[in-house]
């Protein structure tokens, strides 16, 4: 082959040069002769898309590497070169390739040199069959055979049988490329002429010939994209580019990414139902009832389609995939779940899968024949080998009963004994599986190779409050105890501190400190658990004499630091039980006689008994009811309510004359006057019914009772409770 030592510019732009190599001149003449055959000049090359000789070599070289139909731009028709013209053309391109060192290792240059070697040894020009055997790379052959078989499968049965009867159908058809239709009669067996079948085979050969020339001109990346487009037509855009790059970088197929793309975009009903039932999207799985209504089928049919699997499993591309070879770790694993740290998390990140790991677990039975089990949000795919050893569904049910259906403060379970007691095979594989399910599905904690710690299903609130106080070492308010309790048990149903009060009172070792909602332990000696009045009585009892308020305050502040002199004075003078007496030099107790102590008479209250009683009776006369204590009551009404209640409970001491006067006043109040809020509302609604003269619309029982109320003045009694619900329903 002539060698060119000059630069490429001189080859494309001939001109006088003293150092011109003779071989370069021969190559230059052949190159320009070839350009003339295509109707081009050297200047046209730079006015089109071929801005450098390398672009020209890469473009024309790919076309000349295995075919004789060469396209330059889209304006030129196909042109079949004769043997001599092709040899000159190949020698010229090879010379150009040698003139630029950067092209010496390119695939286009290597193909041109191999084609040039064939052109030197072949006369006449090489046939497509020679090109198929020598020029085409193994990847090109594989892609062409794949295309050949796919196209052949679409032919009628007779034409397909005619072609398959040959020992090497692919090479046979390639050998007939460009032959007339009469040459295809040789395919017929026993010399018979099957005109229609031969015509179909001829049309098949013409179509395959175009694909042959197209595939032969492809480089490695183009072949890969061609095979991806042919095998996975549902991949497009970003997904197709990702699959191509992933195969080039890792040398294997991103199967989970391909399955996700197919399931997501498939229009088949089986695929859609499988996708929505199994949750192969980022949405929550649909129910069988929803899908049955959407597709107009029964729920049982939806269940059958979901169990049968997607339409994908019937397609050739899915059946041809060897998933065990792609993912040997998943195939050989005894089980795979969606627990943290599972191998699917890495696969999901590497293969750019946009669904949850749990959805990938649901795909494993389609790839490896695993059996899928689910419990709440936990999914696990178990191999057939392990399923033959143990009933997984019964194992999950037994673990669930052990963990959740017992009153447990805490406990350690030996899984080896658990497996034996429940009739399961106890070996390392099954025990490891039970541990995995208990930890990741039941909320247990691994406590050893074959031991698990059960979660707490029972909380003794009183005991936990006792532990909180013991750890704190001092008295705590109920709100502080509640905060500490919720920190330990954030999911407990209690929502307010008041819910702890009953448990604190019921615990034998916890005592309350007065009425301040403060609690401590009865074993603490530095805490006084009585009220301020109880502490005042203890101090005065020990002193044996009246004590000034200032001295009492010093002792009281040891246990109640926020106390003041005015608060102590109000506490002792306002004691409703009259246990404290004021002397000239301090306060003493009513039950103790102090020698030489001068008793001080208390100041007369501003609201004495007579004024209180008069205000009480005027309130009843004005409002037509007894005073009540609630949020809507006025301060005067609250005071009158407390005054009457204290007299009835004898907490307020009055002399016998005042007591008799109080009883006479209470007896003079009509019994029909409501005494409670309920009676007041009931009376108003009863009066409304009577005023509306609408007794005929009431039930006979309520109408009869109302007539008695109108004519007889007596307390409401039990009949009020019987009829109150009907009156409420009438007015609400």
């Amino acid at each position: 082959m002539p060698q060119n030592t000059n630069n490429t510019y001189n080859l494309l732009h001939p001109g006088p040069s003293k150092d011109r190599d003779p071989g370069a001149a021969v190559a230059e003449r052949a190159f320009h002769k070839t350009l003339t055959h295509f109707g081009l000049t050297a200047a046209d090359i730079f006015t089109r898309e071929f801005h450098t000789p390398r672009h020209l070599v890469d473009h024309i070289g790919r076309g000349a590497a295995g075919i004789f139909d060469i396209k330059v731009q889209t304006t030129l028709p196909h042109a079949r070169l004769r043997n001599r013209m092709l040899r000159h053309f190949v020698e010229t391109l090879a010379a150009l390739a040698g003139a630029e060192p950067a092209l010496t290792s390119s695939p286009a240059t290597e193909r041109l040199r191999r084609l040039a070697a064939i052109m030197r040894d072949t006369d006449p020009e090489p046939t497509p069959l020679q090109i198929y055997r020598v020029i085409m790379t193994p990847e090109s052959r594989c892609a062409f055979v794949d295309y050949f078989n796919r196209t052949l499968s679409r032919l009628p049965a007779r034409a397909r049988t005619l072609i398959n009867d040959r020992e090497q159908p692919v090479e046979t058809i390639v050998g007939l490329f460009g032959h007339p239709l009469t040459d295809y009669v040789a395919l017929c067996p026993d010399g018979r002429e099957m005109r229609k079948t031969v015509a179909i085979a001829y049309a098949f050969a013409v179509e395959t010939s175009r694909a042959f020339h197209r595939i032969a001109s492809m480089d490695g990346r183009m072949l890969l994209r061609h095979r991806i487009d042919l095998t996975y037509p549902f991949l497009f855009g970003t997904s197709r580019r990702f699959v191509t790059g992933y195969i080039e970088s890792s040398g294997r197929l991103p199967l989970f990414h391909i399955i996700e793309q197919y399931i997501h975009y498939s229009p088949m009903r089986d695929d859609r139902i499988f996708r929505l039932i199994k949750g192969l999207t980022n949405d929550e799985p649909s129910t069988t009832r929803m899908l049955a209504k959407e597709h107009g089928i029964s729920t049982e049919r939806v269940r059958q389609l979901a169990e049968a699997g997607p339409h994908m499993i019937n397609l050739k591309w899915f059946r041809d995939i060897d998933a065990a070879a792609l993912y040997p770790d998943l195939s050989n694993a005894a089980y795979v779940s969606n627990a943290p740290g599972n191998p699917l998390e890495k696969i999901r990140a590497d293969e750019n899968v946009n669904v949850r790991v749990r959805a990938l677990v649901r795909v494993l039975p389609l790839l490896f024949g695993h059996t899928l089990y689910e419990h709440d949000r936990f999914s696990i795919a178990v191999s057939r080998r392990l399923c033959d050893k143990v009933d997984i569904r019964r194992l999950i049910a037994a673990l669930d009963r052990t963990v959740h259906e017992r009153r447990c403060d805490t406990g350690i379970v030996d899984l080896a004994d658990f497996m034996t007691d429940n009739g399961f095979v106890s070996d390392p594989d099954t025990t490891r599986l039970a541990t995995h399910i208990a930890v990741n599905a039941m909320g247990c904690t691994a406590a050893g190779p074959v031991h698990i710690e059960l979660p707490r299903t029972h909380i003794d609130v009183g005991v936990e409050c006792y532990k909180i106080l013991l750890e704190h070492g001092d008295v705590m308010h109920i709100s502080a105890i509640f905060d500490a309790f919720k920190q330990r048990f954030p999911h407990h149903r209690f929502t307010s501190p008041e819910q702890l009060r009953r448990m604190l009172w019921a615990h034998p070792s916890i005592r309350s400190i007065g009425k301040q909602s403060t609690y401590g332990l009865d074993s603490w000696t530095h805490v006084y658990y009585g009220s301020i009045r109880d502490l005042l009585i203890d101090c005065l009892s020990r002193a044996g004499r009246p004590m000034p308020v200032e001295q009492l305050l010093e002792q009281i502040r040891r246990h109640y630091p926020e106390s003041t002199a005015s608060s102590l004075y109000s506490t002792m003078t306002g004691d409703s039980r009259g246990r404290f007496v004021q002397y000239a030099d301090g306060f003493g107790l009513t039950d103790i006689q102090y020698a030489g102590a001068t008793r001080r008479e208390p100041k007369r209250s501003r609201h004495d008994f007579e004024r209180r009683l008069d205000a009480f009776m005027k309130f009843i006369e004005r409002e037509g009811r007894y005073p009540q204590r609630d949020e809507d009551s006025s301060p005067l009404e609250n005071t009158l309510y407390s005054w009457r209640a204290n007299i009835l409970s004898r907490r307020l001491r009055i002399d016998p004359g005042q007591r008799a006067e109080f009883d006479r006043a209470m007896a003079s109040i009509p019994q029909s006057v409501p005494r409670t809020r309920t009676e007041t509302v009931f009376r108003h609604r009863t009066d409304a019914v009577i005023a509306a003269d609408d007794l005929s619309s009431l039930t006979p029982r309520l109408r009869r009772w109302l007539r008695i109320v109108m004519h007889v003045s007596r307390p409401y009694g039990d009949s009020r409770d019987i009829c109150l619900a009907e009156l409420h329903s009438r007015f609400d």
Side-chain angles (χ1 to χ4, degrees):
M1 183 177 293
Q3 298 295 325
N4 181 15
T5 57
N6 272 334
N7 56 39
T8 308
Y9 182 82
N10 292 330
L11 286 175
L12 297 179
H13 301 275
S17 176
K18 298 180 180 180
D19 300 326
R20 180 68 65 87
D21 182 75
V26 175
E28 179 180 322
R29 286 194 299 272
F31 179 73
H32 283 280
K33 192 173 183 180
T34 304
L35 292 177
T36 303
H37 179 82
F38 285 100
L40 296 173
T41 63
D44 293 333
I45 297 176
F46 291 95
T47 61
R48 300 172 185 266
E49 66 178 20
F50 311 113
H51 301 296
T52 64
R54 176 171 183 163
H55 292 161
L56 180 67
V57 173
D58 287 344
H59 182 82
I60 301 182
R62 284 196 297 268
I67 61 174
F68 302 133
D69 295 335
I70 303 176
K71 291 182 179 179
V72 179
Q73 291 292 92
T74 58
T75 58
L76 295 178
H78 287 277
R80 181 170 296 279
L81 299 178
R82 302 309 304 165
N83 187 22
R84 181 173 55 83
M85 185 65 67
L86 177 63
R87 182 180 292 112
H88 290 166
F89 182 66
V90 171
E91 290 175 353
T92 303
L93 293 179
L96 284 175
E100 189 171 343
L103 297 175
T104 56
S105 60
S106 66
T109 303
E110 183 63 26
R111 288 186 179 186
L112 289 172
R113 289 177 177 174
R114 290 169 61 188
L115 186 58
I118 292 178
M119 293 302 302
R120 287 196 303 268
D121 302 332
T122 304
D123 194 20
E125 63 185 36
T127 64
L129 184 59
Q130 291 175 315
I131 296 175
Y132 176 80
R133 292 175 176 175
V134 180
I135 301 299
M136 291 185 72
T137 62
E139 293 80 4
S140 301
R141 290 188 184 187
C142 184
F144 177 69
V145 170
D146 190 16
Y147 174 84
F148 181 90
N149 292 331
R150 288 177 182 272
T151 310
L152 182 64
S153 64
R154 296 194 295 267
L155 295 182
R158 285 191 175 184
R160 190 166 58 250
T161 303
L162 176 66
I163 296 174
N164 284 332
D165 282 343
R166 311 297 297 179
E167 294 181 358
Q168 295 178 335
V170 176
E171 295 191 1
T172 301
I173 297 298
V174 170
L176 293 175
F177 283 171
H179 285 229
L181 177 62
T182 55
D183 292 348
Y184 284 80
V185 179
L187 295 174
C188 300
D190 303 329
R192 291 178 294 170
E193 289 189 12
M194 300 182 291
R195 296 183 179 181
K196 181 178 180 180
T197 304
V198 170
I200 294 175
Y202 176 76
F204 166 75
V206 173
E207 180 183 355
T208 310
S209 173
R210 297 192 185 98
F212 173 80
H213 297 319
R214 185 172 64 254
I215 293 173
S217 64
M218 294 180 180
D219 57 10
R221 184 174 179 84
M222 294 176 64
L223 282 173
L224 178 59
R225 292 191 61 177
H226 170 75
R227 297 200 65 181
I228 290 175
D229 293 342
L230 194 65
T231 309
Y232 313 109
F234 49 87
L235 294 178
F236 55 89
T238 305
S239 295
R240 182 174 59 185
R241 291 193 295 271
F242 171 78
V243 172
T244 304
Y246 191 90
I247 294 175
E248 290 178 341
S249 60
S250 64
R252 68 179 186 87
L253 201 65
L255 181 56
F256 284 99
H257 180 88
I258 293 175
I259 291 176
E260 181 209 2
Q261 294 299 314
Y262 173 83
I263 291 291
H264 185 74
Y265 293 106
S266 174
M268 301 297 293
R269 185 185 68 175
D270 296 2
D271 294 329
R272 174 176 171 79
I273 289 177
F274 183 82
R275 176 178 77 241
L276 296 177
I277 284 289
K278 298 298 183 181
L280 299 183
T281 62
N282 285 326
D283 301 326
E284 290 297 325
S286 300
T287 62
T288 55
R289 187 182 300 276
M290 294 168 55
L291 293 176
K293 183 178 180 180
E294 179 181 352
H295 293 278
I297 57 179
S298 64
T299 55
E300 176 62 21
R301 182 55 181 160
V302 172
R303 187 191 62 80
Q304 293 173 359
L305 292 175
E307 290 183 356
H311 179 74
M312 173 184 66
I313 61 178
N314 302 318
L315 300 179
K316 184 178 183 302
W317 70 265
F318 184 80
R319 296 197 306 268
D320 292 345
I321 291 175
D322 187 2
L326 289 175
Y327 307 98
D329 295 340
L330 294 179
S331 177
N332 299 327
Y335 56 85
V336 180
S337 72
N338 62 333
N342 64 82
L344 291 175
E345 292 181 348
K346 185 176 183 301
I347 294 176
R348 178 175 178 270
D350 291 345
E351 297 189 8
N352 193 23
V353 181
N354 296 322
V355 298
R356 300 183 179 92
V357 175
R358 187 177 183 183
L360 300 184
V361 176
R362 291 169 172 165
V363 176
L364 295 182
L366 304 177
L367 301 178
F368 309 112
H370 290 9
T371 305
L372 181 68
Y373 299 94
E374 295 187 297
H375 180 80
D376 293 337
R377 295 186 177 274
F378 176 76
S379 300
I380 184 170
V382 185
S383 65
R384 294 179 179 177
R385 174 179 58 85
L386 197 54
C387 287
D388 294 338
K389 288 185 178 182
V390 61
D391 187 348
I392 310 298
R393 200 173 304 280
R394 192 165 68 87
L395 174 62
I396 294 175
L399 285 171
D400 187 68
R401 286 194 305 270
T402 302
V403 173
H404 296 108
E405 295 184 4
R406 56 177 291 183
R407 186 185 178 97
C408 173
D409 292 329
T410 183
I412 303 296
V413 175
D414 188 338
L415 286 178
D417 296 340
F418 167 82
M419 300 290 287
T420 304
D421 295 342
N422 288 274
F424 299 108
V425 177
S426 181
D427 61 4
D429 290 340
T430 57
T431 305
R432 194 178 303 111
L433 173 64
T435 304
H436 184 81
I437 295 175
V439 171
N440 295 285
M442 311 295 178
C444 299
T445 305
V450 294
H451 293 82
I452 58 172
E453 182 179 351
L454 300 180
R456 298 187 61 174
T457 58
H458 172 257
I459 299 174
D460 192 330
V461 178
V463 173
E464 296 301 327
C465 292
Y466 174 82
K467 294 179 181 178
I468 292 172
L469 288 170
L470 187 62
E471 293 176 3
H472 186 68
D474 201 355
V475 296
M476 297 178 66
H477 193 269
I478 189 172
S479 59
I481 298 175
F482 178 78
D483 293 340
F485 179 81
K486 292 298 285 186
Q487 287 180 1
R488 295 190 178 190
F489 309 102
H491 301 294
H492 197 273
R493 67 179 185 275
F494 283 175
T495 58
S496 65
E498 292 299 324
Q499 293 174 297
L500 295 178
R501 194 179 300 278
R502 182 172 59 86
M503 286 70 176
L504 293 171
W505 277 90
H507 197 278
S509 300
I510 300 177
R511 296 183 61 182
S512 64
I513 303 176
K515 298 181 180 180
Q516 300 179 346
S517 297
T518 306
Y519 297 86
L521 301 183
D522 58 354
S523 59
W524 291 344
T525 58
H526 65 284
V527 179
Y528 185 81
Y529 292 100
S531 63
I532 293 180
R533 287 191 176 94
D534 296 333
L535 184 55
L536 287 170
I537 292 173
D538 290 345
C539 294
L540 292 173
S541 299
R542 290 195 303 269
R545 61 179 178 82
M547 295 181 63
V549 176
E550 291 75 13
Q551 294 181 7
L552 290 172
L553 183 61
E554 293 178 2
Q555 300 186 29
I556 295 299
R557 279 186 172 175
R558 297 175 185 175
H559 302 285
Y560 297 95
E562 297 180 358
S563 300
T564 61
S566 60
S567 64
L568 291 184
Y569 185 87
S570 300
T571 298
M572 290 185 287
T573 56
D575 184 27
S576 60
R577 297 172 60 181
R579 290 171 292 182
F580 301 96
V581 180
Q582 187 175 8
Y583 292 90
D585 51 353
F587 281 88
L589 297 177
T590 305
D591 299 336
I592 301 178
Q593 298 294 330
Y594 301 102
T598 304
R599 187 168 181 171
R600 179 182 298 177
E601 292 296 332
K603 295 182 180 179
R604 187 174 179 83
S605 176
R606 184 178 60 179
H607 297 287
D608 54 7
F609 174 79
E610 290 78 8
R611 297 181 61 184
R612 291 284 190 188
L613 182 59
D614 182 60
F616 186 86
M617 299 304 292
K618 287 182 179 180
F619 180 87
I620 293 178
E621 181 180 357
R622 181 177 66 255
E623 301 292 338
R625 60 179 176 84
Y626 279 74
Q628 303 296 327
R629 174 182 288 177
D630 53 24
E631 296 179 355
D632 299 332
S633 300
S634 63
L636 176 60
E637 185 176 359
N638 290 331
T639 302
L640 295 177
Y641 174 84
S642 301
W643 175 76
R644 175 176 176 270
N646 290 334
I647 292 178
L648 293 178
S649 63
R650 299 188 182 277
R651 288 191 297 177
L652 180 60
R653 293 186 177 183
I654 57 178
D655 56 45
Q658 293 175 340
R659 181 70 188 193
E661 186 179 357
F662 175 80
D663 293 339
R664 287 193 301 271
M666 294 299 108
S668 64
I669 300 175
Q671 294 184 358
S672 59
V673 175
R675 289 171 171 77
T676 63
R677 179 70 62 183
T678 302
E679 290 181 354
T680 303
V681 175
F682 180 73
R683 182 64 178 179
H684 290 335
R685 294 185 176 180
T686 304
D687 294 340
V689 172
I690 296 173
D693 196 14
D694 196 18
L695 297 178
S696 60
S697 63
L698 303 179
T699 60
R701 184 183 62 185
L702 183 58
R703 189 165 57 250
R704 184 171 55 254
W705 183 81
L706 286 178
R707 287 198 184 99
I708 296 174
V709 171
M710 286 188 295
H711 299 288
V712 180
S713 178
R714 65 176 183 178
Y716 295 95
D718 295 337
S719 299
R720 178 202 61 203
D721 298 330
I722 297 174
C723 303
L724 186 59
E726 184 173 344
L727 285 174
H728 279 311
S729 62
R730 182 177 179 84
F731 286 92
D732 288 344

